[in-house]
Amino acid sequence: MINKKYTSNLYTYSLFILIFVLSSWFSPAMAQNQTIPVNVGVILHDLNSQVGKILLSCINMALSDFYASHTYYNTRLVLNTRESKRNVVSAASADLIENAHVQAILGPVTSMEESFVISLGEQAEVPIVSFSATSPSLTSLRSSYFFQFAQNDSAQVKALSAVVKGFGWRQVVLIYVDNEFGEGVVPCLTDALEEVDARVPYRSIVSPSATDSQIVEELYKLMTMQTRVFIVHMTADLSSRLFAKAKEIGMMSEGYVWLTTNSIPNSLKFLNSSAINSMQGVLGVQTYIPATVEFEEFKLRWKQQFRKDNPTIIGAELNIFALWAYDAAFALAMAIEEVRTTSFGFQRNNASINSSTDLESFEVSQYGPKLCQALSLTRFEGIAGNFSLVDGQRQTSTFQIVNINGRGARTVGFWTLKNGIMRKLGSPSSVNSSISSTSKGDLGPIIWPGDSISVPKGWVNPANGKKLRIGVPVKEGFTEFVSVTKDPSTNTTYVTGFSIDVFKAAVDILPYALSYELIPFANPDGKMAGTYNDLCYQVYLGKFDAVVGDETIRGNRSLYVDFTMPYTESGVVMVVPLKDIRRKSAWVFLKPLTWDLWLTTSCFFVLIGFVVWVLEHRINADFRGPPSYQVGTSIWFSFSTMVFSHRERVVSNLARFVMIIWVFVMLILTQSYTANLASLLTVQKLYPVVTDLKHYLRNGDTVGYQNNTYIYDILREIGFDESKLKAYKSVEECDALLSKGSENGGIAAAIDETPNMKLFLAKYCSKYTMVGPIFKTDGFAFVFPKGSPLLHDVSQAILNVTEGDVILNIENKWFNKEGSCQDNSNPGVSSNRLGLETFWGLFLIAGVASVLALIIFLASFLYEHRHVLILTDPGASTRGKFRTMLEIFNEKDFSSHTFKTTQRDRVANVGDAVNAILNNCLEIPLGDSSDSADPSSQFIGEQQNSTTTPSTGQEPAEVNPATEVDITNDGEMEGTPERAQHFSDC
């Protein structure tokens, strides 16, 4: 009984557990079937048009693909479509928010419609997701409920400016539609062009409703301008009309450059063949879509589905807006699922209860802020590329550069924010590049308008034949640069000069004809109408198209005009009178050598004397005697080598080695000194009176400057008083003022630019010299307006002129006139004195030889007398040993062969003298020495044992005590009284 009851309970419990497990399995499935519908609005222009059907099909396919891959998601987007018809967008969006209670709105299509919808979304806290509005002006609304899933037009301006810079175009005309879409990108594009030194001289604004005649009228206006580079930013339908009319009037021919923003290449697939044919040669920027496997599969699936849904439409193609619509719907579905709520409702805003306006009466979405946050954080790999948002904008950094040819667009390169322009993405030359490339060589071959393969210059002469108005200065002096003369009989003005010839030579080598007229900048009386600064400013005011003359490149002028490359030397110099210093100084003999060379030579005289004395003192009697005598002999010996008049003998090999080198040094030095001194005394030496401009400022001297030039301003800035400045107008007047001098009402120096002063010295080179440059300038150049397209071409032409023989011929024509000074160089400005840097190698050799000889002598001396240092009393001090060594050094070295030879010679000389005396006085044959008892024989033998003094008599003879008779220094005999008396009687 118990077992049956127990078994029955067991079955009951098991059934209960089975039911519980099955219920836990089926609960999620049941919950999944309970999906939450979320209303989403879609605003398109025309749902029945081909574009509208393509966009809507991509949105539907995005939701289908999303929920097919996320079947377990609870939310399901329900599309509520509306047509804007381009004029009822406000009603459509208000109906979606107020009646359909949509949680987000996809669209509308255009930027003009978007601005009002953004305001509605901000009021109702409903996110507005745009997949086709690209205007940068929409971001200025700063709405946290607006998300620009389409690519902002400002992202492509860097790519366009890189193309302009790569081809070197300096001026660009912008052509854009007169609405929010067109005007939004213009500020960004203008700034990007200015960053690459390209100017926008004109903006052509075309109304969205412009007729063909109005478009043609605007195009004819562009034809009259110099610029031939145009950037077009307008919708595809309006741009097709623009290019069609441009082709009709000949503006799609060779020489023209047409660039377009991505609005045209992105919509190229929707244009007919005639519209594309009118755009042949256009270069455009197109949004880059990675060619992934997923993208190719999506295109195939979409075509199959679209043909199935729209069998009457043939040849439909996807464009970038359709892909953005797909990604926008996909991202919105993902964000709504992230909110994870059971219902999406609206509530009435407290502030709108008593409101009388329609906008303020809208209900507010309860989950709008959360949905905005979820959209901002959405990241995925979309069909149009990697999808991510920053500040509500889609981030894209890659563009294709396409060339429209044939039936479509051909890719010629790419542009990325990191690497700039490149031929192919990921090419080795562009990987890890830290500097953006802007070279046209990084693009593929381009076919320009008119089927030309040559890169257009970007500008030409105006089609109406207008001549350039070129201003020239009117000069009273220095007319070699610019000369304006007028023929009274014909009233014709002639402009000539060096600057004019340079300009004409540059224009002649331009690859096109340049029509111009030279207009003097003068008053009715024929004098110059202002300063050179005033003349430059006329270009800025537009009264002149350029200025040709001796106009200097200055920083203050470059603020409002541009300069070509300089065609003359640069710098401001000073011209001062010359003075001849030849033989006018009592100390001219010191001029050949610099003070450091004199000092070095004197020191080496003392060094060589000391070295020779050390080496000769112990073995050469010429260097012995009292200390004063030894010092005087050493110095005399060293200095006498300068003229090779030394008579002291040098007997040691070390001293001879030193003297060989020193004599060679003195030979070179004396010969150089003699030659330089002869040049100083015989050749005319002209030196500038003063070489420092501040010297005249301190002394209160008057200096001169050329009239109507900026030199006056420079001198005033330095500190010169106006009363100390005097203007001159011509070369002759400058010479007259310099000849008078500052004390006599003239000037002490003339301050002017290098070309002018060279022209002055070409006539007066014997009287004046040029010092400087004392200020830095960039030379003479031609003036053009800021951003002028002529500037680059003329600068290049000037370089070609100045690098060849043309400039030499022009200079010979205007400056090398007959009778002019051919050599206006100043030989005296640069020093011709001999310095230590010329002979330091000789002194180095002599010094090394002297030190080496001393080291060898000292080592030999210490080795020879090492017993003094080693065997001396161990208790002796170092000082005592050193004193002993000095005493030994001061003694004669009788072991030297020099002293042995001298002793034998002196004894023989004394013996001969005694023999002569004995022969004369005693008449005894002294030559017979066989008789030892002979007193003379004994005398001679005794003398042989004695040491006599040398003939110089420098020190007394040492007498042997055994000697009975000797000869004194005076020639007298000494000895025993008997013998002395005997010799005395004799």
Side-chain angles (χ1 to χ4, degrees):
M1 186 70 179
I2 296 176
N3 293 336
K4 291 182 179 180
K5 185 179 181 179
Y6 178 76
T7 304
S8 177
N9 291 336
L10 180 61
Y11 287 148
T12 302
Y13 289 142
S14 299
L15 181 62
F16 176 77
I17 293 173
L18 179 61
I19 293 173
F20 176 78
V21 172
L22 292 176
S23 63
S24 63
W25 285 354
F26 286 102
S27 293
M30 294 174 65
Q32 288 180 5
N33 293 330
Q34 298 176 357
T35 58
I36 303 172
V38 180
N39 289 325
V40 174
V42 178
I43 301 178
L44 300 176
H45 282 166
D46 188 357
L47 294 175
N48 295 321
S49 66
Q50 179 177 339
V51 175
K53 291 181 179 181
I54 291 175
L55 294 176
L56 187 58
S57 66
C58 287
I59 294 175
N60 288 324
M61 182 170 286
L63 298 180
S64 176
D65 292 345
F66 179 78
Y67 292 121
S69 58
H70 304 87
T71 56
Y72 55 90
Y73 278 7
N74 294 333
T75 58
R76 292 292 186 274
L77 266 63
V78 178
L79 300 181
N80 296 264
T81 58
R82 297 291 188 274
E83 290 182 340
S84 66
K85 297 298 184 182
R86 299 181 183 272
N87 55 7
V88 293
V89 63
S90 59
S93 56
D95 176 66
L96 287 172
I97 295 175
E98 188 174 10
N99 298 326
H101 291 92
V102 295
Q103 298 298 320
I105 295 179
L106 289 170
V109 175
T110 65
S111 300
M112 293 74 70
E113 300 168 349
E114 197 73 48
S115 59
F116 186 79
V117 178
I118 292 173
S119 300
L120 293 178
E122 183 79 19
Q123 185 67 30
E125 297 185 3
V126 173
I128 307 300
V129 179
S130 173
F131 54 81
S132 58
T134 60
S135 175
S137 62
L138 297 176
T139 59
S140 62
L141 300 176
R142 300 184 182 278
S143 173
S144 58
Y145 289 89
F146 174 63
F147 295 90
Q148 197 170 20
F149 282 24
Q151 191 177 65
N152 195 305
D153 287 335
S154 62
Q156 61 184 319
V157 297
K158 296 287 186 180
L160 287 168
S161 64
V163 173
V164 171
K165 182 178 181 181
F167 289 100
W169 297 316
R170 298 299 179 184
Q171 285 192 350
V172 179
V173 172
L174 301 183
I175 306 175
Y176 57 93
V177 61
D178 188 14
N179 55 27
E180 190 172 358
F181 166 73
E183 295 175 350
V185 76
V186 171
C188 301
L189 184 56
T190 303
D191 293 341
L193 291 173
E194 289 181 353
E195 290 179 2
V196 296
D197 297 328
R199 196 168 64 94
V200 180
Y202 181 74
R203 299 177 182 179
S204 178
I205 305 175
V206 180
S207 173
S209 58
T211 63
D212 290 347
S213 60
Q214 290 174 335
I215 294 176
V216 171
E217 182 181 356
E218 185 65 24
L219 290 175
Y220 273 123
K221 186 186 299 184
L222 298 179
M223 288 183 67
T224 62
M225 300 180 183
Q226 293 181 339
T227 307
R228 288 294 180 265
V229 181
F230 308 106
I231 295 181
V232 180
H233 178 65
M234 54 182 59
T235 57
D237 54 349
L238 184 59
S239 63
S240 61
R241 294 171 54 203
L242 175 76
F243 284 111
K245 295 303 175 182
K247 184 177 180 180
E248 287 181 9
I249 64 176
M251 292 186 69
M252 297 302 295
S253 58
E254 185 176 358
Y256 284 88
V257 177
W258 293 91
L259 304 176
T260 69
T261 58
N262 61 0
S263 59
I264 297 174
N266 287 346
S267 304
L268 202 62
K269 295 179 180 179
F270 296 96
L271 299 178
N272 54 41
S273 58
S274 62
I276 296 177
N277 187 48
S278 64
M279 299 181 183
Q280 297 298 302
V282 172
L283 197 64
V285 174
Q286 186 177 12
T287 304
Y288 172 68
I289 305 298
T292 60
V293 176
E294 292 78 6
F295 175 66
E296 297 298 329
E297 292 178 351
F298 168 75
K299 286 198 303 181
L300 182 60
R301 290 191 297 109
W302 176 84
K303 284 186 177 182
Q304 294 174 352
Q305 184 65 35
F306 189 81
R307 290 175 183 175
K308 180 180 179 181
D309 298 337
N310 304 278
T312 60
I313 300 177
I314 300 174
E317 293 288 343
L318 287 171
N319 64 356
I320 186 62
F321 300 106
L323 301 180
W324 286 338
Y326 180 95
D327 287 345
F330 198 94
L332 183 59
M334 184 179 296
I336 288 178
E337 180 64 28
E338 289 293 328
V339 175
R340 291 183 180 275
T341 182
T342 58
S343 64
F344 289 86
F346 280 74
Q347 64 180 5
R348 183 168 294 278
N349 191 353
N350 294 331
S352 64
I353 296 177
N354 299 323
S355 175
S356 60
T357 63
D358 293 336
L359 291 179
E360 294 178 353
S361 63
F362 279 160
E363 294 181 344
V364 178
S365 174
Q366 297 180 4
Y367 297 96
K370 292 184 178 179
L371 183 56
C372 289
Q373 184 178 5
L375 281 171
S376 301
L377 300 177
T378 301
R379 302 285 188 276
F380 64 94
E381 189 66 32
I383 294 297
N386 187 28
F387 180 87
S388 63
L389 297 177
V390 175
D391 295 331
Q393 295 184 19
R394 183 171 192 149
Q395 299 302 299
T396 305
S397 60
T398 303
F399 289 92
Q400 286 176 272
I401 301 175
V402 296
N403 184 208
I404 299 178
N405 292 120
R407 298 181 179 180
R410 176 174 52 87
T411 301
V412 295
F414 296 87
W415 180 90
T416 64
L417 185 61
K418 180 180 180 181
N419 300 315
I421 295 176
M422 64 186 70
R423 180 74 63 88
K424 295 180 180 180
L425 286 178
S427 59
S429 60
S430 63
V431 176
N432 299 326
S433 174
S434 59
I435 301 177
S436 295
S437 170
T438 56
S439 173
K440 61 184 178 182
D442 293 331
L443 293 175
I446 299 173
I447 299 177
W448 302 95
D451 292 332
S452 173
I453 59 175
S454 300
V455 178
K457 299 186 303 295
W459 77 278
V460 293
N461 287 326
N464 59 2
K466 176 185 175 182
K467 293 183 178 181
L468 293 178
R469 293 172 52 86
I470 298 179
V472 294
V474 179
K475 301 170 66 69
E476 298 183 21
F478 296 91
T479 55
E480 287 81 357
F481 290 100
V482 178
S483 175
V484 178
T485 57
K486 190 172 185 179
D487 188 353
S489 60
T490 61
N491 200 26
T492 303
T493 301
Y494 298 97
V495 182
T496 58
F498 172 78
S499 301
I500 305 301
D501 284 355
V502 171
F503 176 73
K504 291 180 178 179
V507 170
D508 289 342
I509 63 177
L510 290 176
Y512 45 83
L514 185 65
S515 178
Y516 62 90
E517 58 178 334
L518 301 175
I519 304 174
F521 181 55
N523 292 321
D525 58 358
K527 294 184 179 180
M528 191 164 176
T531 64
Y532 277 75
N533 288 338
D534 298 331
L535 178 56
C536 283
Y537 199 67
Q538 301 305 307
V539 177
Y540 175 76
L541 297 177
K543 296 182 179 180
F544 289 134
D545 298 318
V547 169
V548 172
D550 52 345
E551 194 79 20
T552 305
I553 302 175
R554 297 285 295 164
N556 60 332
R557 297 171 182 172
S558 63
L559 296 176
Y560 47 87
V561 294
D562 279 340
F563 291 92
T564 63
M565 295 293 295
Y567 61 90
T568 63
E569 296 179 78
S570 62
V572 176
V573 296
M574 179 173 62
V575 168
V576 295
L578 286 170
K579 63 177 180 179
D580 187 6
I581 65 166
R582 180 181 52 178
R583 298 188 302 275
K584 293 182 180 180
S585 174
W587 304 98
V588 69
F589 66 91
L590 296 176
K591 295 291 185 179
L593 307 183
T594 58
W595 67 268
D596 54 347
L597 184 55
W598 279 116
L599 180 62
T600 303
T601 305
S602 302
C603 294
F604 263 83
F605 279 140
V606 177
L607 173 64
I608 296 301
F610 171 75
V611 172
V612 173
W613 173 80
V614 170
L615 300 176
E616 295 288 318
H617 174 66
R618 302 187 70 242
I619 61 175
N620 192 341
D622 290 343
F623 292 90
R624 297 193 62 83
S628 60
Y629 177 82
Q630 297 182 45
V631 172
T633 301
S634 300
I635 295 177
W636 156 257
F637 174 80
S638 179
F639 274 85
S640 63
T641 58
M642 183 170 58
V643 291
F644 309 103
S645 62
H646 51 285
R647 59 187 181 85
E648 288 79 10
R649 296 184 303 165
V650 177
V651 297
S652 69
N653 289 331
L654 288 176
R656 289 173 178 172
F657 168 71
V658 172
M659 287 305 299
I660 288 173
I661 297 177
W662 178 243
V663 167
F664 177 75
V665 172
M666 291 310 301
L667 176 64
I668 299 299
L669 192 61
T670 54
Q671 293 297 324
S672 301
Y673 173 84
T674 303
N676 205 11
L677 181 61
S679 175
L680 287 173
L681 295 177
T682 57
V683 179
Q684 184 184 33
K685 293 296 177 180
L686 301 177
Y687 281 81
V689 176
V690 176
T691 59
D692 186 7
L693 181 61
K694 293 183 179 179
H695 172 82
Y696 297 118
L697 180 62
R698 292 191 297 266
N699 290 354
D701 294 327
T702 302
V703 297
Y705 65 96
Q706 188 182 170
N707 191 32
N708 289 331
T709 61
Y710 67 93
I711 303 298
Y712 172 82
D713 299 327
I714 292 180
L715 295 176
R716 289 287 291 158
E717 291 175 1
I718 293 175
F720 278 94
D721 188 78
E722 188 174 0
S723 61
K724 299 299 180 182
L725 299 176
K726 186 167 293 187
Y728 54 85
K729 299 179 181 179
S730 63
V731 172
E732 293 76 15
E733 186 178 355
C734 180
D735 172 57
L737 292 174
L738 285 171
S739 300
K740 290 181 180 180
S742 179
E743 300 83 1
N744 301 320
I747 57 176
I751 315 299
D752 209 336
E753 294 179 271
T754 302
N756 292 329
M757 290 294 94
K758 282 196 170 185
L759 180 62
F760 174 79
L761 291 177
K763 189 173 183 180
Y764 300 104
C765 63
S766 61
K767 299 170 60 177
Y768 310 103
T769 187
M770 186 166 61
V771 179
I774 56 178
F775 299 106
K776 180 65 176 176
T777 62
D778 290 330
F780 293 164
F782 305 137
V783 180
F784 284 91
K786 278 285 188 180
S788 172
L790 276 171
L791 185 68
H792 179 268
D793 293 343
V794 175
S795 295
Q796 184 66 41
I798 289 174
L799 288 177
N800 294 333
V801 170
T802 55
E803 290 176 355
D805 297 333
V806 178
I807 191 67
L808 298 178
N809 297 331
I810 298 176
E811 288 178 351
N812 293 332
K813 175 183 176 181
W814 291 101
F815 300 144
N816 291 345
K817 296 183 178 180
E818 186 177 354
S820 299
C821 296
Q822 298 299 321
D823 184 12
N824 59 358
S825 61
N826 179 21
V829 175
S830 60
S831 175
N832 57 357
R833 303 177 67 186
L834 300 175
L836 180 60
E837 65 277 1
T838 308
F839 301 101
W840 70 269
L842 293 174
F843 285 110
L844 177 64
I845 295 173
V848 171
S850 302
V851 172
L852 182 62
L854 286 177
I855 293 175
I856 294 174
F857 172 80
L858 182 61
S860 302
F861 179 77
L862 293 177
Y863 180 79
E864 183 179 358
H865 301 87
R866 61 187 181 279
H867 61 278
V868 176
L869 302 174
I870 299 175
L871 302 179
T872 312
D873 183 7
S877 63
T878 304
R879 185 175 181 181
K881 295 179 181 180
F882 180 72
R883 183 180 298 172
T884 302
M885 294 296 291
L886 287 180
E887 291 175 354
I888 296 174
F889 172 75
N890 194 42
E891 294 176 354
K892 293 181 178 180
D893 185 7
F894 289 105
S895 63
S896 173
H897 68 283
T898 57
F899 279 116
K900 293 179 180 180
T901 303
T902 303
Q903 181 179 0
R904 288 195 297 269
D905 293 342
R906 289 173 178 172
V907 170
N909 292 337
V910 172
D912 293 340
V914 172
N915 284 334
I917 294 173
L918 293 178
N919 287 332
N920 293 332
C921 296
L922 302 180
E923 297 181 354
I924 300 174
L926 297 177
D928 187 7
S929 58
S930 59
D931 188 0
S932 61
D934 190 348
S936 64
S937 176
Q938 181 182 359
F939 173 76
I940 295 171
E942 292 172 351
Q943 287 297 322
Q944 291 176 351
N945 295 326
S946 64
T947 303
T948 61
T949 61
S951 60
T952 58
Q954 292 182 6
E955 57 180 45
E958 299 178 6
V959 181
N960 193 328
T963 304
E964 296 181 0
V965 180
D966 202 351
I967 300 175
T968 66
N969 291 336
D970 297 332
E972 297 182 354
M973 303 294 296
E974 293 184 355
T976 60
E978 294 80 8
R979 293 190 177 188
Q981 183 62 38
H982 175 76
F983 284 107
S984 177
D985 294 341
C986 179

